[in-house]
């Protein structure tokens, strides 16, 4: 959990992640083609980490409580972000894979529903 948190929220492994999260929180453009400053690869790195969190949660490696407390706020913001949703839909078509980032979406939906009940 600590390694994943570091990979998502520090600039050690993916230096762009903290800045991407700020843009998501502020609903500002992310990708270059949309007026932002980042490449698709940069967004892939962040979404891939959240997808990994979801898989680890499904396998019981990361508990619901830990995942909710540590990751849910930013994941839900990203899930609701129109630019990110459009990006996920576009790459699913491009790679003919409807399951790309499906685990991320599943966990973000769960986190959103959980926050509405608490």
């Amino acid at each position: 959990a600590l390694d994943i948190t570091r990979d998502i929220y520090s600039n050690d492994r993916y230096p762009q992640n903290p800045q991407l999260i700020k843009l998501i929180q502020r609903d500002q453009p992310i990708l270059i083609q949309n007026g932002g400053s980042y490449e698709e690869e940069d967004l892939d790195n962040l979404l891939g980490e959240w997808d990994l969190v979801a898989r680890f949660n499904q396998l019981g490696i990361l508990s619901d409580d830990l995942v909710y407390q540590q990751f849910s706020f930013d994941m839900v913001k990203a899930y609701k972000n129109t630019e990110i949703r459009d990006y996920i839909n576009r790459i699913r078509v491009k790679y003919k894979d409807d399951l790309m980032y499906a685990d991320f979406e599943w966990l973000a939906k769960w986190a959103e529903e959980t926050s509405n009940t608490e």
Side-chain angles (χ1 to χ4, degrees), residues 31-117:
L31 298 174
I32 291 170
Q33 65 259 32
N34 298 324
S37 302
Y38 294 92
E39 302 282 341
E40 289 182 354
E41 180 181 305
D42 299 323
L43 184 55
D44 278 332
N45 290 336
L46 179 59
L47 293 174
E49 287 295 315
W50 280 329
D51 214 47
L52 183 63
V53 168
R55 290 294 299 144
F56 283 168
N57 178 252
Q58 290 168 347
L59 295 170
I61 296 168
L62 296 175
S63 71
D64 289 349
D65 286 346
L66 184 138
V67 168
Y68 184 79
Q69 292 299 321
Q70 192 65 33
F71 305 106
S72 66
F73 178 79
D74 293 321
M75 288 181 76
V76 170
K77 283 288 284 183
Y79 174 71
K80 291 180 171 183
N81 183 289
T82 304
E83 183 178 5
I84 291 174
R85 292 185 68 87
D86 291 346
Y87 171 72
I88 290 172
N89 290 331
R90 187 167 29 86
I91 64 167
R92 284 178 174 167
V93 170
K94 179 179 177 180
Y95 294 107
K96 298 178 175 100
D97 185 352
D98 290 337
L99 295 179
M100 290 186 80
Y101 301 120
D103 293 327
F104 155 74
E105 290 179 323
W106 166 82
L107 189 58
K109 287 178 194 175
W110 170 82
E112 183 178 29
E113 290 168 4
T114 300
S115 71
N116 290 334
T117 60

Side-chain angles (χ1 to χ4, degrees), residues 11 17 96 111:
N11 58 7
N17 280 357
K96 298 178 175 100

Side-chain angles (χ1 to χ4, degrees), residues 6-22:
R6 185 185 63 240
D7 289 347
I8 293 173
Y9 293 104
S10 79
N11 58 7
D12 290 348
R13 183 167 180 200
Y14 300 112
Q16 72 287 352
N17 280 357
Q19 204 51 34
L20 289 170
I21 291 170
K22 285 181 186 176

